[in-house]
Amino acid sequence: MQRRHVSFAAIALSLCAGTAFAQTKWDLPAAYPATNFHSENLIQFAKDVEAATAGKLKISVHANASLFKANEIKRAVQGGQAQIGEVLLVNFENENPIFGTDGIPFLATSYADSKRLYDAQKPVLDKLLAGQGMKLLYAVAWPSQGIFAKKEINSVADLRGIKWRAYSPATGKIAELIGAQPVTIQAAELSQALATGVIESYMSSGSTGYDTKTYESLKYFYDTQAWLPKNAVIVNKKAFDALDPTTQAALTKSASEAEARGWKVSAEKDVYYKKALADKGMKVVTPSPKLMQDMKQVGGIMLSDWQKRAGPDGEAIIAAYNQSEKSASKAKK
Ligand code: PCA
């Protein structure tokens, strides 16, 4: 019901604005808190678009899953209930393995590698989204993923049987492989799940650890730097095509600026939030070699499983990724 009210209001507003000059109003649902760096970047992006189009395109950001739940945003954009939205790509791996490329543990663990993986993934992602009537505007990586835990862990055996929060098919799969009990919970409900003891461990970034006040419930953060999943801003193709060419150009230009800004801020936050968690009393720990070895074994299983499912498209991505590594290391010499 709530949702319908919002769209009626949006239509009413755009009709009023139409008397002055043709203004297009878009809703942008997002799943993370307004203070999260992705959300702040979205708000800056919306401001930039409004300025660049002299108010012709106005994007309203609805943070914290207030308009649609994290897993509903993609379908809302596809169906046109929202013209534009921000999604966590790896959440849609069950729909197509290509969406899960950046959720494979230890495939790309630095910002530079994640960027190369994104470049390799992008042509396939563009094709996939185009087939679903959508278009990718930009994508930004989260900081690297580590393990939040209640107790000290020295190997994955120490995680056996614990209640493990998953946010994606892959983080659920990790639980299965290490013998933990997965419970799927999106970021907007994570604080409560922690406070009520529904979960006692999970993998994510220091950013989400901080946003959700995980330090109030869990004591340890193991800095495994396992992968950097991406948020992507996607737009409904019909809504995009309905814009005049100048507005389209302003939108894509602001999007590529948001992408560059987002990656830079993410890397800064990766460092900042680990320190902030430590300041809040968490133990931010370099994992033991045994824990790393165990986690890398999990990553190896998940990579070969993904390759089987992702077929020729997956092969093309991995080949392009490996090729760019060769060129990058050659350029360094
Ligand atoms: N935060 C999001 C996804 C990845 C991340 O770092 C979350 O935990 O839901």
Side-chain angles (χ1 to χ4, degrees):
M1 271 335 255
Q2 192 61 30
R3 233 172 270 154
R4 269 191 206 132
H5 289 163
V6 172
S7 26
F8 284 140
I11 292 164
L13 278 172
S14 61
L15 287 177
C16 295
T19 55
F21 71 117
Q23 185 182 47
T24 304
K25 288 186 175 242
W26 281 3
D27 285 312
L28 192 163
Y32 305 97
T35 52
N36 177 271
F37 76 94
H38 286 291
S39 310
E40 288 175 349
N41 199 31
L42 285 173
I43 289 160
Q44 185 60 50
F45 164 66
K47 271 189 195 148
D48 291 350
V49 169
E50 196 172 345
T53 61
K56 269 174 102 178
L57 178 57
K58 187 170 166 48
I59 299 174
S60 303
V61 177
H62 305 270
N64 213 22
S66 58
L67 199 53
F68 292 98
K69 289 194 172 144
N71 282 334
E72 296 174 341
I73 294 174
K74 183 166 172 285
R75 211 178 319 139
V77 174
Q78 186 171 13
Q81 288 92 345
Q83 299 79 4
I84 185 169
E86 185 187 52
V87 298
L88 179 66
L89 289 171
V90 296
N91 275 1
F92 304 94
E93 179 169 4
N94 286 344
E95 204 183 287
N96 191 307
I98 298 310
F99 290 124
T101 309
D102 44 324
I104 303 165
F106 303 104
L107 178 60
T109 60
S110 65
Y111 278 92
D113 285 355
S114 297
K115 198 70 207 302
R116 286 195 300 106
L117 185 60
Y118 176 33
D119 291 341
Q121 179 194 23
K122 195 162 182 303
V124 186
L125 204 52
D126 282 339
K127 194 178 65 183
L128 181 56
L129 287 168
Q132 299 183 331
M134 291 180 283
K135 183 177 153 59
L136 176 70
L137 282 179
Y138 73 84
V140 171
W142 283 89
S144 59
Q145 309 285 293
I147 307 171
F148 290 96
K150 203 167 203 152
K151 298 195 189 107
E152 207 175 310
I153 46 173
N154 293 305
S155 70
V156 297
D158 295 333
L159 291 162
R160 216 162 277 154
I162 62 151
K163 292 175 269 178
W164 173 273
R165 176 255 178 170
Y167 62 74
S168 62
T171 48
K173 179 79 186 171
I174 293 175
E176 229 175 81
L177 291 170
I178 65 178
Q181 300 174 39
V183 193
T184 301
I185 294 165
Q186 290 307 323
E189 278 90 44
L190 182 51
S191 294
Q192 196 177 347
L194 284 162
T196 54
V198 170
I199 58 131
E200 47 195 357
S201 184
Y202 69 99
M203 286 189 84
S204 187
S205 58
S207 171
T208 289
Y210 193 87
D211 286 349
T212 56
K213 295 194 166 66
T214 292
Y215 47 80
E216 289 181 356
S217 317
L218 309 178
K219 192 147 186 215
Y220 295 89
F221 180 64
Y222 288 88
D223 190 13
T224 52
Q225 304 185 10
W227 72 93
L228 288 77
K230 292 187 295 290
N231 274 3
V233 176
I234 52 176
V235 62
N236 178 288
K237 185 79 170 48
K238 279 193 195 129
F240 182 83
D241 290 344
L243 302 172
D244 63 67
T246 326
T247 306
Q248 286 178 348
L251 180 70
T252 49
K253 181 167 179 283
S254 298
S256 69
E257 286 165 6
E259 181 166 283
R261 186 172 58 234
W263 280 77
K264 186 168 172 285
V265 173
S266 180
E268 287 162 10
K269 296 285 181 186
D270 197 6
V271 179
Y272 170 85
Y273 278 120
K274 279 179 221 168
K275 186 166 179 307
L277 291 177
D279 289 346
K280 291 285 186 186
M282 279 193 103
K283 288 195 192 329
V284 178
V285 190
T286 303
S288 69
K290 172 69 177 138
L291 178 58
M292 280 306 272
Q293 193 190 325
D294 288 355
M295 288 306 292
K296 283 187 177 167
Q297 197 182 349
V298 166
I301 295 168
M302 289 176 65
L303 174 59
S304 61
D305 171 62
W306 179 86
Q307 282 175 305
K308 271 181 219 134
R309 288 182 288 119
D313 277 343
E315 251 171 62
I317 292 174
I318 300 296
Y321 177 57
N322 290 336
Q323 186 55 43
S324 68
E325 179 171 29
K326 280 191 201 129
S327 326
S329 57
K330 231 187 226 162
K332 262 189 214 154
K333 279 182 193 153

